[in-house]
């Protein structure tokens, strides 16, 4: 054989082999991507309930909490990993305060790197919001204080350092913040914390061979890390002993990227009573409720003596094409939490047919209507820029925001400072789980969602609030923008600038 010919044959063989390997790799990746733990979880760990954070009342009548972000090692139940937590090795205590109270949270950063603590869902001044402009350097403290002024709701807190949020949350920095308000709560709802009113913080994790958390996303994922193991309140394979006829679960999706569609393995109905920003107008009997990262649902489940049932996440309908669904969790099923009813159950009242009346905001009263388009890792074509204020909202006005994801991929949309109402989804009235106060909403591809919010107070031309996709990898990649709330006639200033409010909000000191 002539040398040239031999080289050609060898080259052809090499190319064919490479192609075959490539195709095999893609096929393997595609086929191996679906995860299901349905029916295969042995629920062996009692669900840990985050402790209620102790608080004191200071000389000025403020309710004072302490949060210490620190590194530690956490036992997930079947493995121990290096983690971060507030006041412990993983997650944080539940903060609880009432409407009208002034709170002060002393946030101490005992990590080796800077972080922030953001109060997700809270209506408060931008300087206290804990976004990327309120960095807390390692070894220092931050002292945000504000007056709680919103309906009873299940909120949460987590870091928000620009470009690093995914890693900080994934390592374990997150906790619940429950707001109480007699005027917008319902006495018949189960309300004994840890007994019949239970936080359910759901996250997906991926562990490496040595038991530590794996932090990088898989190949071909455009949403960042998707785990194959569910942890609830920091425990794998958890069960909850239920001692009452009905139990209220405050479910928070604190995952980085995963969308859950919660229901029960036996397909029983439950009552959806609350969403991100408070209770709904009525309990809705449902079999499923979908939560994208950052969203919350309060559900009430009835149990019979001695029975067991499993809270499961069914494959969520992300609204994307098959390929995208498969690679991004759209076909995955997880057993999340087993409920074990005691042989004798304490009685609980029936749920009332009405819960909380909330007037609908009226789009005809909107001072502005704005469009937001999500594509790539940008909003309206822009990547997040800490030095650019994207929009200026006038205090005391109502605005309509029309948000559309132009992508085959999953995105959602979160606004700081306000709770909004969903006017419509693709022109249709909102379904029950979008009928109440929300701060985060899932975006199906090419499906416009119209939101309406009132920006009642807290003007500050220099300190922006954020809006962003809450898929943390997207947020870190820049799918985020900034708005300021100003007095009528006032102009936006310089982000992070200081007009006498104290640098970065709250005051800083070594802790
Ligand atoms: Cu839960 Cu801007 O975040
Ligand atoms: Cu937030
Ligand atoms: Cu996104």
């Amino acid at each position: 054989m002539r040398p040239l010919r031999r080289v050609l044959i060898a080259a052809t063989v090499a190319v064919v082999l490479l192609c075959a390997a490539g195709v095999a790799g893609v096929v393997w990746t595609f086929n191996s991507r679906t995860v299901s733990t349905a029916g295969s979880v042995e629920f062996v760990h009692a669900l840990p309930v985050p402790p209620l954070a102790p608080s004191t009342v200071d000389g000025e009548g403020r309710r004072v909490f302490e949060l210490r972000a620190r590194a530690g090692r956490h036992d997930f139940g079947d493995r121990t990993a290096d983690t971060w937590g507030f006041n412990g090795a993983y997650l944080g205590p539940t903060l609880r305060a009432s409407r009208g109270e002034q709170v002060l949270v002393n946030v101490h950063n005992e990590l080796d790197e800077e972080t922030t603590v953001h109060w997700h869902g809270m209506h408060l001044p931008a300087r206290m919001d804990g976004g990327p402009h309120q960095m807390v350097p390692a070894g220092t403290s931050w002292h945000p204080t504000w007056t709680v002024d919103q309906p009873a709701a299940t909120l949460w807190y987590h870091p928000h350092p620009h470009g690093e949020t995914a890693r900080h949350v994934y390592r374990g920095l997150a906790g619940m913040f429950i707001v109480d308000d007699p005027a917008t709560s319902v006495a018949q709802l189960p309300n004994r914390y840890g007994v019949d009113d239970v936080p359910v913080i759901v996250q997906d994790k991926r562990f490496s061979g040595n038991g530590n958390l794996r932090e990088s996303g898989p190949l071909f994922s455009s949403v960042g890390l998707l785990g194959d193991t569910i942890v609830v309140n920091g425990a794998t394979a958890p069960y909850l002993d239920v001692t009452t006829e009905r139990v209220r679960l405050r479910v928070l999706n604190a995952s980085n990227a995963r969308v859950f569609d919660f229901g029960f393995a036996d397909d029983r109905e439950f009552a959806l009573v609350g969403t991100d920003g408070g209770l709904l107008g009525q309990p809705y009997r449902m079999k499923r409720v979908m939560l994208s990262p950052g969203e919350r649902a309060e559900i009430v489940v009835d149990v019979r003596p001695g029975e067991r049932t499993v809270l499961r996440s069914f494959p969520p309908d992300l609204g994307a094409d098959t390929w995208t669904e498969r690679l991004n969790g759209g076909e995955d099923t997880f057993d999340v939490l087993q409920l074990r009813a005691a042989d004798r159950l304490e009685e609980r009242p029936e749920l009332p047919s009405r819960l909380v009346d909330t007037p609908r905001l009226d789009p005809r009263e909107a001072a502005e209507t704005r469009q937001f388009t999500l594509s790539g890792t940008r909003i309206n074509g822009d990547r997040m820029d800490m030095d650019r204020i994207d929009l200026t909202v006038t205090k005391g006005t109502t605005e309509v925001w029309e948000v559309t994801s132009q992508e085959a991929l999953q995105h959602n949309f979160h606004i700081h400072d306000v709770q909004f109402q969903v006017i419509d989804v693709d022109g249709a009235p909102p379904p029950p789980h979008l009928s109440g106060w929300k701060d985060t909403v899932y975006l199906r591809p090419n499906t416009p969602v119209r939101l309406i919010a009132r920006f009642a107070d807290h003007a500050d031309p220099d300190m922006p609030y954020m809006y962003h996709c809450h898929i943390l990898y997207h947020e870190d990649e820049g799918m985020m923008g900034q708005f300021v709330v100003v007095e009528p006639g006032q102009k936006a200033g310089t982000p992070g600038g200081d007009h006498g409010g104290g640098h970065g909000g709250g005051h800083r000191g070594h802790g």
Side-chain angles (χ1 to χ4, degrees):
M1 224 185 273
R2 304 225 308 271
L4 179 60
R5 224 169 136 195
R6 224 178 290 157
V7 169
L8 272 177
I9 290 172
T12 311
V13 167
V15 166
V16 167
L17 282 178
L18 271 175
C19 287
V23 169
V26 169
V27 167
W28 182 83
T29 305
F30 187 74
N31 288 330
S32 65
R33 195 61 91 218
T34 299
V35 183
S36 175
T37 66
S40 64
V41 177
E42 294 177 48
F43 300 93
V44 287
H45 305 124
L47 180 74
V49 175
L52 284 172
S55 60
T56 55
V57 176
D58 72 1
E60 297 169 49
R62 300 181 297 191
R63 183 167 298 286
V64 186
F65 297 96
E66 306 290 327
L67 283 183
R68 297 178 181 278
R70 54 168 77 131
R73 277 187 73 76
H74 175 66
D75 182 0
F76 284 94
D78 47 5
R79 56 208 119 185
T80 306
D82 294 325
T83 52
W84 288 356
F86 293 106
N87 303 1
Y90 191 78
L91 295 179
T94 298
L95 306 192
R96 192 157 195 169
S98 297
R99 190 174 199 164
E101 267 188 314
Q102 189 177 352
V103 296
L104 164 65
V105 189
N106 295 313
V107 175
H108 309 283
N109 180 2
E110 298 175 0
L111 302 168
D112 298 335
E113 59 185 280
E114 56 183 1
T115 190
T116 78
V117 180
H118 164 60
W119 320 101
H120 179 129
M122 193 74 75
H123 174 52
L124 77 183
R127 280 165 203 274
M128 308 302 167
D129 191 41
H133 292 282
Q134 284 86 46
M135 297 303 296
V136 189
T140 72
S141 303
W142 177 56
H143 309 280
T145 179
W146 69 93
T147 299
V148 175
D149 185 19
Q150 63 193 93
T154 303
L155 313 182
W156 65 301
Y157 60 92
H158 63 79
H160 217 300
H162 185 40
E164 302 291 338
T165 297
R167 190 166 55 91
H168 287 216
V169 174
Y170 188 72
R171 289 192 175 180
L173 293 175
M176 243 180 213
F177 197 130
I178 297 177
V179 172
D180 294 311
D181 172 26
T184 55
S185 64
V186 172
Q188 295 97 317
L189 290 178
N191 60 11
R192 281 177 60 206
Y193 185 84
V195 178
D196 60 9
D197 180 357
V198 182
V200 176
I201 304 175
V202 187
Q203 300 173 303
D204 59 334
K205 299 289 171 197
R206 207 167 261 275
F207 294 93
S208 64
N210 65 11
N212 259 328
L213 290 174
R214 264 177 51 182
E215 295 190 355
S216 51
L219 218 59
F220 293 120
S221 170
S222 30
V223 296
L225 191 132
L226 289 169
D228 53 9
T229 306
I230 297 298
V231 300
V232 184
N233 300 346
T236 55
Y239 66 86
L240 174 67
D241 280 320
V242 178
T243 57
T244 54
E245 296 177 326
R246 5 202 95 78
V247 62
R248 171 196 204 163
L249 305 178
R250 298 181 188 248
V251 185
L252 158 64
N253 181 352
S255 299
N256 283 33
R258 190 173 283 286
V259 178
F260 295 109
D261 194 14
F262 291 108
F264 286 86
D266 55 15
D267 244 4
R268 74 180 53 202
E269 288 188 338
F270 54 86
L272 177 71
V273 297
T275 55
D276 302 348
L279 296 180
L280 299 173
Q282 61 169 91
Y284 289 95
R285 308 294 308 177
M286 355 234 293
K287 288 186 171 179
R288 301 276 190 277
V289 62
M290 184 165 132
L291 295 182
S292 66
E295 291 184 287
R296 288 87 69 206
E298 294 187 28
I299 65 172
V300 175
V301 192
D302 291 357
V303 293
R304 282 191 306 271
E307 73 168 344
R308 292 180 176 193
T309 184
V310 173
L311 179 69
R312 177 173 286 176
S313 175
F314 294 87
D317 179 8
L318 304 176
D321 59 89
T322 314
W323 174 263
T324 306
E325 295 263 351
R326 169 77 58 100
L327 293 187
N328 297 297
E331 297 182 357
D332 296 350
T333 310
F334 291 99
D335 278 356
V336 174
L337 172 68
Q338 185 186 52
L339 303 185
R340 295 185 182 174
D343 290 334
R344 298 200 43 171
L345 297 170
E346 263 180 64
E347 281 183 28
R348 283 293 178 271
E350 292 284 338
L351 296 188
S353 56
R354 303 284 318 156
L355 296 172
V356 171
D357 277 317
T358 305
R360 299 297 297 176
L361 298 175
D362 185 350
R364 285 168 305 186
E365 280 163 22
E368 286 284 348
T369 297
R370 305 181 196 267
Q371 319 281 335
F372 299 82
T373 302
L374 284 74
S375 66
T377 48
R378 293 158 193 253
I379 300 179
N380 291 343
D382 284 325
R383 282 188 76 178
M384 165 73 177
D385 179 345
M386 293 280 286
D387 297 321
R388 183 191 65 233
I389 288 173
D390 296 275
L391 43 115
T392 303
V393 174
T394 303
K395 187 178 111 176
T397 66
T398 300
E399 296 205 353
V400 171
W401 291 16
E402 183 175 317
V403 190
T404 313
S405 158
Q406 288 192 326
E407 213 141 7
L409 208 61
Q410 71 234 51
H411 293 299
N412 66 8
F413 195 75
H414 168 51
I415 312 178
H416 287 211
D417 179 43
V418 291
Q419 293 288 335
F420 52 75
Q421 292 173 347
V422 176
I423 303 170
D424 49 28
V425 179
D426 212 8
H433 74 286
L434 301 180
S435 66
W437 291 118
K438 294 285 295 169
D439 56 51
T440 308
V441 64
Y442 183 71
L443 302 175
R444 295 170 68 86
N446 301 308
T447 306
V449 179
R450 284 201 303 155
L451 315 174
I452 185 166
R454 188 163 173 76
F455 298 82
D457 41 31
H458 304 317
D460 184 340
D462 297 323
M463 189 54 74
Y465 297 103
M466 307 294 131
Y467 54 88
H468 57 90
C469 177
H470 216 287
I471 290 173
L472 300 181
Y473 171 70
H474 295 168
E475 174 187 334
D476 283 344
E477 288 290 304
M479 191 170 253
M480 177 155 70
Q482 314 193 87
F483 70 98
V484 287
V485 176
V486 300
E487 297 290 348
Q490 205 177 23
K491 285 210 161 30
T494 317
D498 198 342
H499 275 204
H503 186 75
H507 47 97
R508 229 169 234 163
H510 285 267

